[in-house]
Each structure stands twice: as C-alpha cells, then as structure tokens.
Amino acid sequence: MSILLVFDLGTTALKLVAFGEDGRPARQVEARHPTRSTPGGGQEQDPEDWWTAAVTACAVLPQAMRESVRAIALVGTMENLVPLDAGGRPARPALLYSDGRSGAAFPAIRDRLLAAGAPAVLGNAPGPLNTLAKFRWLQQAEPEAARRVATILPGAKDYLALRLTGRIVTDPAAGTTVGLMDITRRDWSAPLVEAVGLDPALLPPILPADAVIGELLGPAARALGLPLGCPVVNGCGDAAAATLGAAADGQLHVYLGTSGWVARSRPLDPAALPRPFTTLAHPRAGWAIEIAPLLTAGDAAGWFGRIAGAELAVLDAEAQAADAAPPETLFLPYLKGERSPFVDLALRGALLDLDIAQGRGALHYAVLEGVALALRNNLDAMAALPGPIRLTGGGGASRIWPQLIADATGRVVECADLPTATTAMGGYRIAATALGWPAPPDTIGAIHEPRPERIVRAERRLARFRQATEEARRRAAEASE
C-alpha cells in the first residue's frame, strides 16, 4: 500500500494524516506544541517545537506505514511571521497570526500602502495582522533581532518545507496574508515593496500549491523515519486547504478549530476587489477564496474548559443537556480581539447576563452559542446565497455546536465525516492532482437542520449580540484614548 503523508501544522498541534491509494485517511496522529502568550497581545511559538512535533508524530506511525510513504504534502497556519537568519535558523520565536502587537506599528504602513493603491493590487485592504505589520513591529520593538533576519516566512508549513527539503518557499494563499502580494499575478508587488521600504530579498519565492519543491533530505528522512528522496509538495495555508478539502466550489464552509472562519471558492474577479471580507489566492490559478475569519473559535471553548477545570467532552455533554432550557447568558468571543466582520485588536470578550442559578453546562453552552452568532455575523457580511454549510474542524465533533450553528444561521449544517482531517484532505487533493493519485470520496457525517422554534430565538439573540458588541467596541475605543 502506498501512502501520501500530509503534515497539517495547526495552532495547537501538528496533525499527521496518512492517506491510502483510495484517497481515504488510513491513520491520523497528533503531536501538540506550546504557545507563549505575552503582555500586549503577543502570541508566539518556537518553530523548533513544530519540527519536534513532526518527529514525534512520525514516530507514532507504524514502521511499515512510514516505509510506504511515497509523497509528502504540507498545510498549516498562515499570516505568521517566521523570521529566519542567513543560515535558515529561527532568529527568534515566530509571531502567530493572532499576535496583535503589530497593531501599533500598522498605521504608518497602512498610509504608505494606501498611497500606493494597495487594495486593488492585494485584493484586500491592508491589515494590522499581516506579516508585513508584524515585521515592522519587530523592527521597532526588537531591532537587534530584526537585523539578524534574512527571510520572513508567512506559513508555519513553510518552515517544515525548509527542514524537509532545504528550500525556502511559500504558496499563493499564505503569500496573500503578507500584505505585499499582487493577487492577480501571484507574485510580490515591487511597487508596494518599495513603498514600505522593505528589502525584497527578505521575501521568499512564491510557488504554486501543487509544485513539487524538492525531495526529502537525508537528515530529515532519518529524523522522521521516512524514505530518502520522497517528493515534497508545497501545499498551502490552512484556510485554503480546509476550503478545498471541505466543500465543492461555491459551497459555504465553516471551520471550527482554534480560530474559525466562513469561506467559499469563486473565480477571481479583479474588478470586484477589494471586498468587505478577506480574499485569498486559491490553490487553483484564476480562483480565489472569500473568507471571513474569527480570531477565537475553538480557543474560546478551550479557555472556558481551563477556567471550569473540566474536559471539553464533559462540558460538551453538559451543554447538550442545557439545550432543553437554553440560558440567556450571552458570550462575546473576542478574547484576542477580532478581524471579521470588523478589525478591532483592542476589543475583548465578555459573559453577559449571568444568573446565580446557572451551572457550568449553561455557561459552556453560552460560549458555543456566542461563537455561532459571530459566525452568523460573518455569513451576513458575505451576503451569502441560501444553501447548506459544510462544517469542519474539531468543533464539528461536538454534540451540540453544529446544531447551534444551524439554528443561528437558519441553514442546514453538514458535518464532514472526518472533521479534524479536512484541512489535511485539502493537502491530499493538491498533491493528488500533482502526482496523479485518485480524487478522494466526498463523504458527509451528521446533518443538522435548523429548528424552527429556535430560529426566532436566534434572531433575538443576534440582535442582542450585535448591540453588546458595539457597546464593547465603544468602551474599548474610549479606554485606548
């Protein structure tokens, strides 16, 4: 049996999914890696921890399966700053996509980019979380570290690509999140690079998602226990991979991992850009992914689990029981700020309308419902046409969360058969096209219909959610003045 191995480097863990020749996952293992939170909104990870997680995950695979690997594909988080020195080593820990410290450095960059006509080139308005803004923050806050940087990578999987093949590259989807890529040409915009005064040598080459970027080198092969010379396919950023792995072109897709988003694929129309949400370069040339992301989705459930001192599976069952008489407590899921349908890095979350009679199941229910309402907000911002939603990510395995999303959106929610493998499935689809492997089957797990009696409640809750969000944004703005 031949194996196509996909490394899916997420926010909290590296997932390793082994696909068989039939396009189905034959084995999935996971190795967690730590995040360091710092004052002021810092979110950092050591790229060496990513590599350690890759080695750990591979060691769990049976030897016979490792020996059967015929190709590797890579997917992972993007809009990071992975700063490398001239030797390809991390110059300091990576700044994650959710690191909000770049907000202070952003206004000067924004003004330069807008003066150079950036939105029409980028396909998006410049953003404070872009990799470019993170690097400018690094130059201001840690000038010594910044001077050691020879390359900046936006994709976590780009660092794995370097360790596997020795090549420094990125992909068009991850390149979109840097804030300097011409989305039509899928290459760095020289006028924008010049406008912000960035050395173009810092930017990695952008290769197609289905490009074979190299072969597995000896040191990596020995560390991972994989065949020497195995071809490595570039792959793409996680949001693009999850969209490709989850849904047919044009179908709505919701991802519930540490972060979350609503997304769909469309042919790229440069004349219609920018839109009031994010547009990513699709792995397929001439196409785009329209995406409205949340900074905090599954991370909100994890946060409450830590506060409550209980396993998420236990809380999920208690929240399901609370569904018989749903609480009025309202949760605003802005624990790290927000980036869609508005960008506000100073905004913070809240639990409102607490009642002394409520237990932790009711509060966990409120947390899940709050994320569902935030997803509805993004869905409305995209003016999405009627139709079902394909749900993926770890949140899709919840007993109650998919139903709350169906109620909040008024749409049928189709849960992916293997929700935690969907992003890796996108990597498989990309590599299969490049290598001539078969297309995977499209299988659906549970289907959740919106409950008519709950739709009315959801509309009332949504109005309250939006009002509370605006009040919280106003207070955050006043506090920062």
Side-chain angles (χ1 to χ4, degrees), residues 296 300 303 329-336 338 347-352 366-367 370-371 373-374 464-473 475:
T296 309
W303 162 80
T329 300
L330 186 70
F331 176 66
L332 304 183
Y334 310 122
L335 302 179
K336 295 178 287 190
E338 191 51 281
L347 182 62
R348 287 297 177 265
L351 273 167
L352 307 174
V367 168
V371 174
L373 291 170
R464 172 79 174 106
F465 180 87
R466 288 173 172 168
Q467 178 189 34
T469 294
E470 288 308 309
E471 291 172 355
R473 292 190 69 188
R475 287 194 299 271

Side-chain angles (χ1 to χ4, degrees), residues 86-119:
R89 297 174 296 270
R92 72 172 310 282
L95 278 65
L96 295 188
Y97 61 89
S98 52
D99 194 307
R101 291 173 293 182
S102 52
F106 175 62
I109 296 174
R110 177 195 58 209
D111 293 345
R112 289 187 179 190
L113 289 172
L114 292 178

Side-chain angles (χ1 to χ4, degrees), residues 4-11 13-17 19 33 50 54 72-78 80 154-161 164 170-171 173-174 209-210 213 232-245 255 261 283 420-431:
L4 197 162
L5 196 60
V6 179
F7 289 80
D8 173 10
L9 185 47
T11 307
L14 180 139
K15 297 183 183 71
L16 195 63
V17 184
F19 288 88
H33 49 77
W50 302 339
I72 294 169
L74 305 171
V75 298
T77 62
M78 51 190 182
N80 308 300
K157 62 91 181 168
D158 299 336
Y159 182 73
L160 291 185
L164 295 173
T170 192
D171 66 277
D210 60 0
I213 59 175
V232 178
V233 177
N234 192 17
C236 63
D238 54 356
T243 304
L244 191 64
Y255 176 79
W261 55 74
T420 60
T422 307
T423 305
M425 180 66 78
Y428 173 87
R429 288 183 186 275
I430 291 166

Side-chain angles (χ1 to χ4, degrees), residues 7-406:
F7 289 80
D8 173 10
L9 185 47
T11 307
T12 58
L14 180 139
K15 297 183 183 71
L16 195 63
V17 184
F19 288 88
E21 295 169 280
D22 58 358
R24 295 179 181 273
R27 187 71 179 267
Q28 178 177 332
V29 298
E30 180 177 301
R32 298 182 72 83
H33 49 77
T35 300
R36 185 169 72 99
S37 300
T38 67
Q43 296 281 297
E44 299 182 353
Q45 291 180 354
D46 186 344
E48 282 302 296
D49 288 336
W50 302 339
W51 178 248
T52 299
V55 173
T56 301
C58 277
V60 177
L61 290 180
Q63 182 176 349
M65 183 170 282
R66 281 184 274 135
E67 292 173 350
S68 299
V69 172
R70 298 293 174 262
I72 294 169
L74 305 171
V75 298
T77 62
M78 51 190 182
E79 204 168 25
N80 308 300
L81 170 65
V82 187
L84 304 180
D85 65 18
R89 297 174 296 270
R92 72 172 310 282
L95 278 65
L96 295 188
Y97 61 89
S98 52
D99 194 307
R101 291 173 293 182
S102 52
F106 175 62
I109 296 174
R110 177 195 58 209
D111 293 345
R112 289 187 179 190
L113 289 172
L114 292 178
V121 178
L122 302 175
N124 300 287
L129 293 174
N130 287 166
T131 302
L132 171 63
K134 291 182 172 70
F135 185 63
R136 186 52 53 88
W137 174 87
L138 185 66
Q139 289 177 310
Q140 295 174 357
E142 300 178 15
E144 213 173 294
R147 281 192 290 271
R148 296 198 304 271
V149 176
T151 305
I152 55 178
L153 298 175
K157 62 91 181 168
D158 299 336
Y159 182 73
L160 291 185
L162 174 61
R163 293 298 300 262
L164 295 173
T165 69
R167 292 197 66 186
I168 291 177
V169 299
T170 192
D171 66 277
T176 308
T177 68
V178 172
L180 291 171
M181 190 188 82
D182 184 322
I183 196 168
T184 302
R185 293 175 46 248
R186 294 179 173 232
D187 201 358
W188 306 118
S189 167
L192 296 186
V193 172
E194 182 180 1
V196 297
L198 188 73
D199 180 358
L202 290 167
L203 298 169
I206 301 173
L207 296 185
D210 60 0
V212 176
I213 59 175
E215 296 181 345
L216 189 62
L217 298 176
R222 289 189 293 272
L224 300 172
L226 300 177
L228 178 67
C230 191
V232 178
V233 177
N234 192 17
C236 63
D238 54 356
T243 304
L244 191 64
D249 291 337
Q251 183 181 0
L252 287 167
H253 154 232
V254 166
Y255 176 79
L256 281 179
T258 302
S259 62
W261 55 74
V262 178
R264 63 188 173 198
S265 301
R266 292 285 178 87
L268 179 67
D269 180 6
L273 299 176
R275 307 292 294 276
F277 39 80
T278 301
T279 300
L280 295 174
H282 193 285
R284 187 194 321 169
W287 279 65
I289 294 172
E290 299 174 343
I291 179 169
L294 303 178
L295 273 177
T296 309
D299 221 9
W303 162 80
F304 184 74
R306 293 190 298 274
I307 297 298
E311 295 292 328
L312 286 180
V314 174
L315 291 173
D316 197 63
E318 293 179 1
Q320 185 181 31
D323 185 58
E328 286 300 305
T329 300
L330 186 70
F331 176 66
L332 304 183
Y334 310 122
L335 302 179
K336 295 178 287 190
E338 191 51 281
R339 57 179 173 175
S340 185
F342 52 81
V343 177
D344 191 335
L345 302 184
L347 182 62
R348 287 297 177 265
L351 273 167
L352 307 174
D353 303 324
L354 290 166
D355 189 303
I356 198 169
Q358 291 170 339
R360 67 185 187 184
L363 297 184
H364 190 65
Y365 184 100
V367 168
L368 302 185
E369 185 186 41
V371 174
L373 291 170
L375 289 169
R376 164 65 187 274
N377 251 357
N378 283 356
L379 197 65
D380 288 354
M382 294 179 75
L385 296 174
I389 293 171
R390 185 69 59 89
L391 178 61
T392 69
S398 165
R399 303 183 187 190
I400 186 62
W401 214 349
Q403 184 61 59
L404 295 181
I405 294 171

